[in-house]
């Protein structure tokens, strides 16, 4: 759990070192590491200073980590089977949250390790402002609410990684503003943002000129907070949560419209989740390029003793002949041919909770029944074989 302390005024100012074009890759990485290290030390120092103040706004901070070992085997037809294995620090984060003394303003600042460069990247950086009639205005960098899987934190998932389908359709971190309202049985979020994966992009440096996302949730039964995560809790009550969402992004071809429906059910010892997502890609003259569909079904059951849990997930993704995913300034998978093929993936695994959600071991097996068009190295899925592939993952995660 995050540690809460008090503070008077906590302010942090930081800058990013930018390597000149003539500098080598190593020099650029060193600068990013130094910049990230200074930023992380500054945040910890701010938290430590706050703990001595004894009054004023509340400051909470926490650490998250996911350490993973993966082994991926590709079934290559007519050739030697390919096998890749390795270790991965999937998540390493420092999460800082603050709330004013009167509770009318709060904020969050989360930094994490950038797996590609070894530096530090900003994930969350936003302020929440209280508005009349219990509405809140969120401004900064955050995840516009769209997919249910994405709203559930990485350390609160069942498998070691979210579904490949969720990763394909997600909005992920973006810059913008959001209006939010929590009711007794429902929740509404409307976000104006800068496009999928637009975190850290400058004006004119991404593919999207305007994007709008909206999500609503309604507890058909029980307390909707019971469905905060996907864990199959043994002693909790029953709840059913329904969700609907839409995201529209306009800019460089194509325009993207995403629509999603999902349902989450929780009961003593069991957790169920289902989602369907549609994505429509449209050209500048209104020409339909593709209509894509994603399906996710997931279930978990608590085993005896109660610290053990078994889970399974099936997902289906129909690309309709196109792999397209806006990713900040570029397009993930640009030029990849997928034809009329679809992708089915099955995941089975077990969790062992050592201290609730704060400490957990996960062992799961992923089987891609078809060719993976674009790799997702976090999942262990590599691009290639038309005959599919098998991935075994062992993960330890902590959250303190």
């Amino acid at each position: 759990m995050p540690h809460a302390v008090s503070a008077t005024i906590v302010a942090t100012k930081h800058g990013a070192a930018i390597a000149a074009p003539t500098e080598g890759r190593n020099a650029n990485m060193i600068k990013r590491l130094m910049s990230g290290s200074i930023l992380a030390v500054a945040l910890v120092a701010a938290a430590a200073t706050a703990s001595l103040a004894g009054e004023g706004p509340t400051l909470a901070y926490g650490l998250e980590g996911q350490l993973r070992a993966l082994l991926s085997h590709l079934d290559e037809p007519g050739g030697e089977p390919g096998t890749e294995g390795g270790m991965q620090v999937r998540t390493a984060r420092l999460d800082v949250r603050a709330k004013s003394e009167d509770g009318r303003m709060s904020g969050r600042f989360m930094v994490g390790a950038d797996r590609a460069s070894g530096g530090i990247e900003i994930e969350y950086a936003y302020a929440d402002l209280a508005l009349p009639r219990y509405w809140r205005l969120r401004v900064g960098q955050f995840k516009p609410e769209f997919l249910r899987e994405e709203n559930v934190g990485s350390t609160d998932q069942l498998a070691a990684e979210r579904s490949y389908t969720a990763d394909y359709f997600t909005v992920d971190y973006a810059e913008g503003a959001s209006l939010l309202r929590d009711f007794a049985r429902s929740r509404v979020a409307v976000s104006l943002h800068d496009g999928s994966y637009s975190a850290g992009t400058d004006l004119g440096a991404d593919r999207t000129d305007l994007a709008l996302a909206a999500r609503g949730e309604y507890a058909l039964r029980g307390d909707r907070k019971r469905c905060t995560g996907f864990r199959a809790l043994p002693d909790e009550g029953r709840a059913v949560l329904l969700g609907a969402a839409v995201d529209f992004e306009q800019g460089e071809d194509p325009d993207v419209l995403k629509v999603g429906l999902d349902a989450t059910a929780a009961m003593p010892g069991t957790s169920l989740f289902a989602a369907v997502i549609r994505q429509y890609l449209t050209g500048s003259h209104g020409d339909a390029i593709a209509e894509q569909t994603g399906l996710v079904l997931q279930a978990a059951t608590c085993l005896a003793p109660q610290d053990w849990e078994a889970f399974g997930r099936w997902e289906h993704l129909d690309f309709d002949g196109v792999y397209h995913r806006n990713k900040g300034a570029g397009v993930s998978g640009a030029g990849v041919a997928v034809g009329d093929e679809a992708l089915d993936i099955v995941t089975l695994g077990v969790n062992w909770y050592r201290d609730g959600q704060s400490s957990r071991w996960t062992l799961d097996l992923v089987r891609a029944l078809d060719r993976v068009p674009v790799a997702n190295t976090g999942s262990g899925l590599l691009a290639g074989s038309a005959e599919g592939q098998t991935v075994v993952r062992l993960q330890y995660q902590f959250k303190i």
Side-chain angles (χ1 to χ4, degrees):
M1 295 294 293
H3 302 280
V5 297
S6 296
T8 49
I9 299 177
V10 178
T12 304
K13 184 176 181 181
H14 61 88
I18 301 177
T22 56
E23 291 184 83
R25 181 179 178 184
N26 291 337
N28 183 42
M29 182 174 293
I30 290 172
K31 285 190 175 184
R32 294 191 65 176
L33 284 168
M34 291 178 63
S35 175
S37 300
I38 291 171
L39 176 60
V41 171
L43 286 170
V44 174
T49 302
S51 65
L52 301 177
E55 59 183 13
T58 300
L59 185 70
Y61 58 96
L63 300 175
E64 297 179 11
Q66 291 179 321
L67 316 174
R68 191 175 298 174
L70 306 99
L71 182 65
S72 179
H73 177 84
L74 284 79
D75 303 331
E76 295 289 354
E80 292 295 326
T83 302
E84 294 286 345
M87 309 288 288
Q88 183 185 75
V89 179
R90 180 60 175 170
T91 300
R93 295 183 177 128
L94 171 63
D95 190 4
V96 181
R97 308 187 191 208
K99 181 181 289 187
S100 63
E101 192 170 9
D102 62 4
R104 294 186 56 79
M105 180 178 179
S106 61
R108 186 178 185 186
F109 194 81
M110 177 187 281
V111 294
D114 186 335
R115 294 179 296 274
S117 67
I120 300 293
E121 63 179 357
I122 299 174
E123 298 185 5
Y124 287 108
Y126 66 79
D128 272 3
L129 309 175
L131 299 177
R133 303 185 66 84
Y134 303 101
W135 285 90
R136 290 181 292 123
L137 174 64
R138 177 169 295 174
V139 181
Q141 181 171 294
F142 52 90
K143 287 186 176 182
E145 296 194 18
F146 176 60
L147 292 182
R148 171 70 178 153
E149 264 192 87
E150 201 68 34
N151 293 347
V152 175
S154 59
T155 56
D156 294 318
Q157 302 289 324
L158 293 177
E161 187 74 17
R162 293 182 178 93
S163 67
Y164 188 95
T165 301
D167 186 67
Y168 181 73
F169 290 113
T170 183
V171 176
D172 204 72
Y173 294 103
E175 299 160 329
S178 181
L179 281 173
L180 306 103
R181 171 71 192 272
D182 290 297
F183 299 88
R185 300 179 66 89
S186 60
R187 174 183 175 84
V188 176
V190 180
S191 305
L192 182 67
H193 64 94
D194 207 18
S196 297
Y197 289 92
S198 65
T201 57
D202 203 352
L203 179 65
D206 54 54
R207 298 179 50 83
T208 306
D209 297 324
L210 177 67
L212 181 67
R215 178 174 173 83
E217 294 180 347
Y218 178 74
L220 190 63
R221 178 178 180 178
D223 186 352
R224 63 184 179 83
K225 294 182 180 179
R226 171 71 173 84
C227 299
T228 300
F230 292 133
R231 183 180 176 185
L233 296 170
D235 301 321
E236 300 292 334
R238 299 174 181 268
V240 177
L241 183 69
L242 304 179
V246 61
D247 176 66
F248 176 70
E249 303 177 16
Q250 185 177 52
E252 298 182 28
D253 281 350
D255 292 341
V256 180
L257 174 63
K258 310 176 187 180
V259 180
L261 296 172
D262 56 77
T264 307
M267 56 202 77
T270 304
S271 171
L272 302 173
F273 171 73
V276 55
I277 309 110
R278 291 278 287 175
Q279 178 167 274
Y280 303 88
L281 305 177
T282 308
S284 57
H285 299 291
D287 300 327
I289 298 174
E291 296 183 6
Q292 303 174 327
T293 303
L295 300 172
V296 179
L297 297 177
Q298 179 177 273
T301 183
C302 181
L303 304 176
Q306 297 178 353
D307 294 337
W308 287 88
E309 174 184 65
F311 62 85
R313 181 175 67 203
W314 169 78
E315 52 184 301
H316 171 84
L317 217 170
D318 183 355
F319 297 101
D320 193 23
V322 177
Y323 187 104
H324 178 94
R325 185 172 61 143
N326 281 350
K327 199 169 178 76
V331 178
S332 175
V336 174
V338 295
D340 294 328
E341 64 194 86
L343 174 62
D344 287 89
I345 302 174
V346 177
T347 303
L348 300 173
V350 292
N351 288 317
W352 179 35
Y353 297 90
R354 293 284 294 160
D355 186 18
Q357 204 70 23
S358 299
S359 178
R360 187 183 84 185
W361 288 90
T362 299
L363 176 64
D364 60 21
L365 182 144
V366 182
R367 176 63 186 175
L369 304 179
D370 309 284
R371 183 177 74 94
V372 176
V374 175
N376 183 325
T377 55
S379 295
L381 293 169
L382 306 176
S385 174
E387 298 298 313
Q389 61 184 289
T390 302
V391 183
V392 178
R393 305 180 299 204
L394 176 64
Q395 175 179 278
Y396 172 71
Q397 72 171 36
F398 63 88
K399 186 176 182 180
I400 55 178

